[in-house]
Amino acid sequence: MTVPKLKTGIDAFDLISEGGLPIGRTTLLAGSSGSAKTLFAAQFLAMGILKFNHKGVFVTFEEQVEDIRNDLKGFGWDIDQWESEGMWTFIDASPKEEDVITIGEFDLSAFRIRLERAVTKNQAQRVVIDSIGSIFTHFPEHNIIRQEMSKVTMSLRRVKATAIITTERTEEYGAISRYGVEEFLADNVMILRNVLCQERRRRTIEILKFRGSNHVKGETPFTISPKKGVVIVPISSLTLTQSASMKRITSGNPALDDMCGGGFFKGSIVLVSGATGTGKTLLASNFMKGAKEKNERCLLLAFEESKEQIFRNAKGWGQDLEQLEAEGLLKVISIYPEVQSLEDHLINIQDLVEQYQPQRLAIDSISALTRNPTDKGFQEFVAALTNYLKHQAITTLFTATTNMLPGRASITESDFATITDTIILLRYAELAGEMQRSVTVLKMRGSRHDAAIRRILIDGQGMQIGAPITGISSQISH
C-alpha cells in the first residue's frame, strides 16, 4: 500500500516524488553548505500557503528570524503578512548573544511541548525544523541525540504534521549526514547537492528514501530563480505525449522547402549543422523571415552574436529583420552562454516562451552552450528543452557548428541526432580546385525528401540552392 502524499506546490518536485511528501511523516533534507536546504524548506511552507491555504510552523535553530524574513522577501514571499494572518508561525530557537552554559542533563522536552502547542493552536499542516545540526553540540553522546530527536519526530507524527528537518553534510558524495545518525530519525531522506564541476556549480536533488512510497530514482538538476526559488528540471519525468502535426510551414527558402518535401512539419525540431561560414545563421534568418507571410511570432536566441550584428548581416542577405522586430513579429535575445548555467538557460527560455508565445524559435548556435558543462549536463539540457518545445508545438531550428571545415560530426550532433525530426547538413566540398558550399537533407522524419547534395551560393539575395553536385562520394564522412 502506498502512503498518501501531500503536494508541496513545488511543481517539478511533485512530479519526481510522484505526488509530494508522504502525509503526516517527517522527511530529512540533507545537504552541504549552500545547497539551498533552508530555501527548499521555506518554499515548502510558502507554496502551502499560496497554493493550498495550508498553515505552517518554521523552527529555526541557527538563523535569526529577522534574517530569514528578509531573505525570503527577495522571492516575493511576504512572511510578515502571513504571520499577521496566522498562516506562518516562527519558533525561534536560534542562538542569542548571551552565552548559555549547560549544566546537568539536557533534553528537548520543553521544545517538544512548544512545538506541539504551536502546531495544534495554529492547525498547521506543515512544519520545518532548520537545522538540527546545532542541537548536537548540546549532546556529547549520539545515542542521546537519537533518543531526543526520535521523540521530536514522534511528536510531529502525533499532531499529524508533514515535516521537513534539515541537516548538514560535509561532502557531496560521502556520508548522508554530519553525525551519521540523523538519517535514522526520519521516514524519508532527500539529499541536495551543489557539486563543483568544470569550474561551475551544478545543483541536484535526490530522493534517497521514501518509506512505503514510490518516487523517481537518481539525481535531478535544479536551479534557484530570483523570482521562483527552487526550480527543478524534471529530466527523469519527461513524457513522449506531444502531438504530431501534418501541417507544413516554410523554412523561408522555397528551394529548401522542396528538398524537405514541402517545408518543415509544424512543431518539429530542425537541426542545421555545418562548419563556420557555411550559411547556418543565414538559414536561421530565413526561418525568421518565413514567418512573416503567416503573421507568426518568432523568438531568436543568439549565443554568439549581438542583435546589431545579426540585423546587419541579415541586411547583407536582403532581409530586414529589424523591420520584423518593429512589427512585433520578432524578438531577439543575445546572451553569452557562460553567464548562466544550463539549468538557468532552460528556465529563462521557458519564461521567454510563456511571455512572448512564439510559433517559431531559433537557437544560434546550440554548440556555444557546450563550452562549459559536462556531456551529461548538456544531454539533460537538450532532452528537457526539446521535450518542452515539442509539447508547446513550437517549430524550432537549432544551428550547430562542426569543428572541422569538411564537417565532421560534433558532440552536439550526436546528442541531437536521435531527437530531431529534420537534419540539414551544410558542408564545404572541393570541386575542380575550388571550395564549394553544399546542402543536403540528411533526415526528414515522416516525409520523403530530396537526398541529393546540392551546390549553394550565398549572395546579396540570400542562399541560392542549385543543382546536385556529382563526382563526390565521401563528403560527409571526411
Side-chain angles (χ1 to χ4, degrees), residues 269-281:
I269 302 294
V270 180
L271 176 66
V272 178
S273 164
T276 181
T278 51
K280 301 183 300 300
T281 302

Side-chain angles (χ1 to χ4, degrees), residues 209-276:
K209 178 180 76 171
F210 264 13
R211 188 171 290 163
S213 176
N214 296 325
H215 59 86
V216 171
K217 311 298 187 297
E219 294 181 72
T220 302
F222 74 93
T223 187
I224 297 176
S225 165
K227 296 179 180 177
K228 299 179 180 177
V230 171
V231 180
I232 296 171
V233 182
I235 302 295
S236 52
S237 300
L238 302 180
T239 57
L240 285 169
T241 56
Q242 66 272 13
S243 59
S245 174
M246 291 300 292
K247 185 179 178 182
R248 302 270 188 163
I249 68 168
T250 179
S251 66
N253 186 310
L256 184 59
D257 289 346
D258 291 340
M259 292 182 70
C260 293
F264 303 146
F265 281 120
K266 187 177 184 301
S268 63
I269 302 294
V270 180
L271 176 66
V272 178
S273 164
T276 181

Side-chain angles (χ1 to χ4, degrees), residues 126-335:
R126 303 180 182 217
V127 171
V128 166
I129 299 178
D130 180 59
S131 95
I132 60 172
S134 59
I135 303 175
F136 283 62
T137 59
H138 296 286
F139 296 92
E141 299 294 334
H142 287 181
N143 62 331
I144 298 178
I145 300 173
R146 190 167 176 172
Q147 289 173 9
E148 289 299 315
M149 287 308 301
S150 293
K151 292 176 183 175
V152 172
T153 57
M154 283 189 284
S155 295
L156 291 169
R157 181 168 291 200
R158 186 162 48 247
V159 295
K160 300 180 180 178
T162 304
I164 291 178
I165 297 178
T166 69
T167 191
E168 299 80 22
R169 62 198 309 242
T170 55
E171 51 189 336
E172 301 295 356
Y173 289 98
I176 293 174
S177 59
R178 180 187 294 273
Y179 297 97
V181 298
E182 297 96 310
E183 57 266 36
F184 301 106
L185 304 172
D187 301 304
N188 318 303
V189 177
M190 302 194 303
I191 297 175
L192 298 180
R193 293 189 176 91
N194 188 22
V195 179
L196 183 62
C197 184
Q198 296 183 7
E199 301 180 353
R200 283 192 171 272
R201 291 285 176 183
R202 182 171 185 266
R203 299 178 185 275
T204 63
I205 182 171
E206 179 182 8
I207 300 173
L208 192 66
K209 178 180 76 171
F210 264 13
R211 188 171 290 163
S213 176
N214 296 325
H215 59 86
V216 171
K217 311 298 187 297
E219 294 181 72
T220 302
F222 74 93
T223 187
I224 297 176
S225 165
K227 296 179 180 177
K228 299 179 180 177
V230 171
V231 180
I232 296 171
V233 182
I235 302 295
S236 52
S237 300
L238 302 180
T239 57
L240 285 169
T241 56
Q242 66 272 13
S243 59
S245 174
M246 291 300 292
K247 185 179 178 182
R248 302 270 188 163
I249 68 168
T250 179
S251 66
N253 186 310
L256 184 59
D257 289 346
D258 291 340
M259 292 182 70
C260 293
F264 303 146
F265 281 120
K266 187 177 184 301
S268 63
I269 302 294
V270 180
L271 176 66
V272 178
S273 164
T276 181
T278 51
K280 301 183 300 300
T281 302
L282 170 55
L283 277 190
S285 180
N286 280 343
F287 182 63
M288 297 290 103
K289 186 198 67 175
K292 185 175 175 61
E293 63 182 69
K294 296 290 185 183
N295 224 29
E296 296 175 329
R297 281 188 300 277
C298 311
L299 178 61
L300 172 60
L301 303 177
F303 291 111
E304 293 179 329
E305 295 180 288
S306 68
K307 182 166 73 172
E308 286 69 25
Q309 284 178 295
I310 293 168
F311 286 171
R312 181 201 62 192
N313 296 341
K315 281 182 180 175
W317 300 319
Q319 299 168 4
D320 193 351
L321 295 185
E322 200 168 359
Q323 178 61 31
L324 208 60
E325 185 189 50
E327 295 172 4
L329 298 177
L330 174 64
K331 186 180 187 69
V332 179
I333 304 293
S334 293
I335 184 173

